[in-house]
Amino acid sequence: MLRITHLIKRYGNGEPVLKDLNLEVPDESLVSIIGASGAGKSTLLRCINRLVEPTSGSIELNGQELTTLKRDELRKSRRRIGMIFQGFNLVDRLTVMENVQCGRLGYIPYWRAALRRYPAEDIERAFHLMERVGIAKYANKRADELSGGERQRVGVVRALMQNPEILLADEPTASLDPVSSRQIMELLQNLADELKLPVLINIHNVAEAKEFTRRIVGMRFGRLIFDGKPSDLDDDAMDAVYSGTPSDEREDTGAAFTRAVTQ
């Protein structure tokens, strides 16, 4: 269970990016966060794993308060939070296997990682997960030789190698073509079911959010203004989330592709 209570994030003396935000994500949930650019979606995810420091409020993961953790405790807590990035965040010169093993850096001694002497059980699990997402054949290939969809699958496996208690995905499909985008969303949906893992996805593509996730949270100017099932996201709810927002911020090319092929 992720429980966020009265979360505020302010940069300097400016207007808060997150304003008294409250959110609960139970176990085995698949939740998408929608909203226009600048709504605070990425900031919210980065506050959860402390890549961004909250100004005030509480963030609890399975009963542990994350906002007060220091150094070693924070490092250990981050092992429990898998993160998938829009820009993949891979080391291009390393192989797929080596990038995947980066998910174990919080568990193994530094010398093992430096010498690339990974434990046998970690290698076995990596192959199992890579096989599951369809990239096992690329294990010895450099990351910069892969397509965007393949690179994001490496990012997914790297996050799963942490054995996380929650998975955060920050615009995981924004850098992908429409077909790869849908494949990644379907993969996250299936993994959430198979691993009984709560997944929180920040996404611009409303059509994919409605198709692949079971709960949608809408943000506007740092506040939660919608929280419900995809079927509840009607025109009025969309207007509340995106009022005054250009239509191209509501729907990216992946959504347009989805609409086109279903007409």
Side-chain angles (χ1 to χ4, degrees):
M1 164 75 78
L2 174 71
R3 180 178 288 111
I4 299 173
T5 309
H6 300 305
L7 181 64
I8 295 174
K9 175 57 186 177
R10 174 185 283 108
Y11 293 98
N13 296 321
E15 183 77 7
V17 178
L18 301 177
K19 303 172 183 177
D20 197 33
L21 190 146
N22 297 280
L23 177 67
E24 289 190 0
V25 180
D27 295 340
E28 301 182 32
S29 295
L30 184 60
V31 182
S32 57
I33 308 173
I34 64 169
S37 298
K41 305 185 301 295
S42 291
T43 299
L44 171 59
L45 261 60
R46 290 169 183 266
C47 280
I48 294 171
N49 61 13
R50 297 273 303 277
L51 291 177
V52 169
E53 290 295 333
T55 300
S56 62
S58 171
I59 303 174
E60 291 185 12
L61 179 60
N62 294 331
Q64 182 181 40
E65 176 60 51
L66 302 180
T67 61
T68 58
L69 299 178
K70 305 295 183 183
R71 295 184 180 179
D72 289 346
E73 289 182 333
L74 177 58
R75 178 173 176 268
K76 290 178 181 178
S77 76
R78 282 179 173 151
R79 300 188 307 197
R80 305 159 56 204
I81 305 171
M83 186 79 176
I84 300 168
F85 299 90
Q86 173 183 342
F88 316 128
N89 283 24
L90 304 181
V91 182
D92 286 343
R93 62 183 176 80
L94 297 184
T95 67
V96 168
M97 175 60 78
E98 290 165 342
N99 271 283
V100 164
Q101 291 298 331
C102 288
R104 300 300 296 168
L105 293 180
Y107 293 90
I108 65 175
Y110 174 78
W111 68 267
R112 274 190 174 274
L115 296 175
R116 302 176 188 176
R117 294 178 58 181
Y118 310 114
E121 58 269 25
D122 288 351
I123 294 175
E124 182 178 357
R125 175 167 169 76
F127 272 118
H128 171 74
L129 290 171
M130 288 191 292
E131 184 70 36
R132 169 61 187 83
V133 306
I135 58 171
K137 61 184 177 182
Y138 302 130
N140 295 316
K141 202 170 186 177
R142 279 177 52 128
D144 57 5
E145 298 177 34
L146 304 181
S147 69
E150 291 162 351
R151 288 164 67 83
Q152 193 58 287
R153 290 171 188 267
V154 176
V156 170
V157 174
R158 178 185 58 195
L160 293 177
M161 285 293 291
Q162 298 175 218
N163 290 320
E165 296 175 23
I166 189 170
L167 194 60
L168 309 178
D170 190 13
E171 296 288 357
T173 64
S175 300
L176 305 179
D177 63 80
V179 174
S180 296
S181 176
R182 289 178 55 80
Q183 290 173 343
I184 290 297
M185 287 299 294
E186 184 176 13
L187 174 63
L188 292 175
Q189 181 189 59
N190 291 337
L191 289 172
D193 288 338
E194 293 171 18
L195 302 176
K196 310 300 182 185
L197 187 67
V199 180
L200 191 57
I201 305 173
N202 165 16
I203 187 170
H204 270 298
N205 191 319
V206 177
E208 288 183 350
K210 294 181 74 171
E211 180 177 358
F212 292 105
T213 64
R214 303 182 187 100
R215 175 183 169 197
I216 296 178
V217 172
M219 292 185 64
R220 180 169 169 79
F221 298 139
R223 300 185 187 277
L224 298 189
I225 60 172
F226 175 84
D227 188 349
K229 298 177 182 178
S231 58
D232 296 329
L233 190 67
D234 56 17
D235 289 343
D236 289 340
M238 286 287 287
D239 285 343
V241 175
Y242 291 101
S243 179
T245 300
S247 60
D248 61 355
E249 286 200 17
R250 304 187 188 193
E251 180 179 4
D252 65 14
T253 55
F257 173 83
T258 300
R259 185 180 63 250
V261 299
T262 56
Q263 289 179 345

